[in-house]
Amino acid sequence: MEITGIISAIVVGLIIGALGRLVVPGKQHLPIWLTLLLGIVAAFVGGFLANLISSMWWWVLIVQVLVAAVIVYLADGMYARKPGGAA
């Protein structure tokens, strides 16, 4: 992966994190910075998984958003149970 691909994945990851947060129903307890960081991780993981099947841009985007939603949902569950997490 070239540097432009990495930078693109980071920018897309920020958007993916926000979309993943919107897809998860209910109130999230995660701070926005953590959601965006998880979105960057989801962009890399989702992009890798989607490219195993097809490299069509819309397919990659759908998989990235779904991966972000799952990661945000799981992280929110862990963050909410943490004593210092959220009210």
Side-chain angles (χ1 to χ4, degrees):
M1 184 177 267
E2 296 179 15
I3 189 71
T4 55
I6 293 172
I7 292 171
S8 298
I10 290 172
V11 171
V12 169
L14 296 174
I15 297 167
I16 295 296
L19 289 174
R21 188 177 183 115
L22 290 174
V23 171
V24 175
K27 182 182 185 309
Q28 287 88 38
H29 302 91
L30 294 174
I32 191 67
W33 65 267
L34 185 55
T35 302
L36 297 176
L37 183 67
L38 293 173
I40 293 170
V41 171
F44 282 105
V45 172
F48 174 76
L49 293 175
N51 281 320
L52 291 175
I53 297 170
S54 174
S55 61
M56 291 186 288
W57 68 269
W58 57 269
W59 172 253
V60 174
L61 182 64
I62 290 170
V63 172
Q64 286 175 327
V65 170
L66 291 175
V67 169
V70 168
I71 290 175
V72 167
Y73 179 77
L74 293 175
D76 185 57
M78 290 187 292
Y79 194 82
R81 279 181 277 210
K82 190 172 131 184

